[in-house]
Amino acid sequence: MTQLITLANESGVQLKLMTTGAALLSLTVPVGESQREVLLGCKPEDYAKQQVYLNAMVGRFANRIADSVLHYQGETYHLVPSQGANCLHGGKDGFDRREWSVVSQQEDKVTLLLHSADGDQGFPGECDVTLTYALEGTDLLIDIQATVSKPSPVNLTCHGYFNLDGKRSDVRDHALMVNASRYLPIDGMGIPLSVPQPVEAALDLRHSHLLKDRWLSHPQLISAKGFDHCYLLDTAGSDEVAARLTSADEKLTMEVLTNQPGIQVYTGNYLAGAPSRDNELYHDYEGVCLETQLLPDSPNRPELGDPWLLPGTIYHHQTRYRFIAG
C-alpha cells in the first residue's frame, strides 16, 4: 500500500510524495508572500490511471532502448517493450510502477529503497537502488545510488513535470536555457539517428528563449510535436548550471545542476488526458520535463557512452533543482 510523505524546511519549501513510483505529488516554494506550486500532479488514487510517468522515478533504464534488446559480451537480453517495439523508461512495469520502501525519514529528507530482481523486465542481474529526496534551502536535491549483481545498464531520472506559473497554464510561455552545444537528433519513435550533432536554429537553447518562439520551427520539433530531445551538457563534471527555466511572469526561476552528461527536454507533447489535482484532465504542453540522465539507446551504442554498471561499482546520480524568486 502506498505511503504518503511530506517534507518541509525552514526556507518554506514543501514537498509531497508517495512511495508508489517514488512519485512527487506537489512541490511548493515561497514567492513573495505566497506559496507557489511548481509541479503538475494528480491525486494519489489516480496515479495508476496515468501513462505519462507523472513525476515518477523511472528506470531501470530511463529513456529509450531500440527494439527492446541488449547485446553485451556475447549475450543477448530481450526487454519488455513499452513504446512500440522499443523499451521506454524500463519497460511496462518499470520502477515508476513499483512500491518503494522507506529506509529513513527526517523533517526535510527521506530515503527510499527499491530491489529489482534478476530478469526484471528482461534486464540482467539484481539491482538495488537507494534514492534520497532532500530539501536544502530552496533546493530539491535528488541523490540516487545503485548496485548490480551482474553487468546491467542503469540510468534513472526524475520525470517531473514543471510549471513555474503556480497555476495551470501553457508552459511554452516559459523561457528555457540549456547549457549544451550538442544534441541527439531522433527518429519518429525517439531513437537517436546519429552521433551527437551541433545544436542549430530552434534547437539551440544556449541562450534563454521563450519556448513558444522556437515552437515547431525545425523538422526535429515538428516530428516530435515539440521538444523531446536529449542534450549533451557542456557542464558535465562541473558546478555550472545545466539548465534554467523561468516562469511567464518572471517571478520564479529554476536552475538545474547535475553530475549527469545529458538532459532530456520534454515539453509534455503527449500529456493530454492525464489526471490532475483539480479533476480536469491535463492538456498537452502544461508542463516541461528536464530529465537529467545518461544518453538514450547507449547500452548498444558505445559512441553514446557506457551505461553498463558492473558488480562492485556504484551508480551515482545527483541532480539539484534550485528555485530563485525575484
Side-chain angles (χ1 to χ4, degrees), residues 151-186:
S152 178
V154 174
N155 180 30
L156 280 79
T157 193
C158 175
H159 206 291
Y161 285 84
F162 292 96
N163 185 316
L164 306 186
D165 287 343
K167 60 183 180 182
R168 294 190 60 166
S169 64
D170 192 325
V171 80
R172 291 172 291 185
D173 290 322
H174 283 49
L176 177 65
M177 182 281 294
V178 178
N179 199 339
S181 54
R182 295 182 298 158
Y183 83 107
L184 284 174
I186 55 174

Side-chain angles (χ1 to χ4, degrees), residues 273-293:
S276 73
R277 300 183 189 94
D278 61 10
N279 298 321
E280 179 189 341
L281 300 179
Y282 280 119
H283 307 112
D284 290 342
Y285 314 125
E286 286 198 63
V288 60
C289 301
L290 300 172
E291 307 161 55
T292 53
Q293 58 186 258

Side-chain angles (χ1 to χ4, degrees), residues 235-276:
T235 59
S238 77
D239 294 328
E240 292 184 63
V241 174
R244 182 179 292 111
L245 184 69
T246 303
S247 62
D249 64 6
E250 300 183 348
K251 291 183 178 180
L252 184 62
T253 293
M254 181 181 77
E255 295 181 341
V256 184
L257 300 95
T258 185
N259 66 355
Q260 297 299 286
I263 187 168
Q264 185 85 7
V265 177
Y266 175 55
T267 44
N269 312 336
Y270 294 93
L271 183 58
S276 73

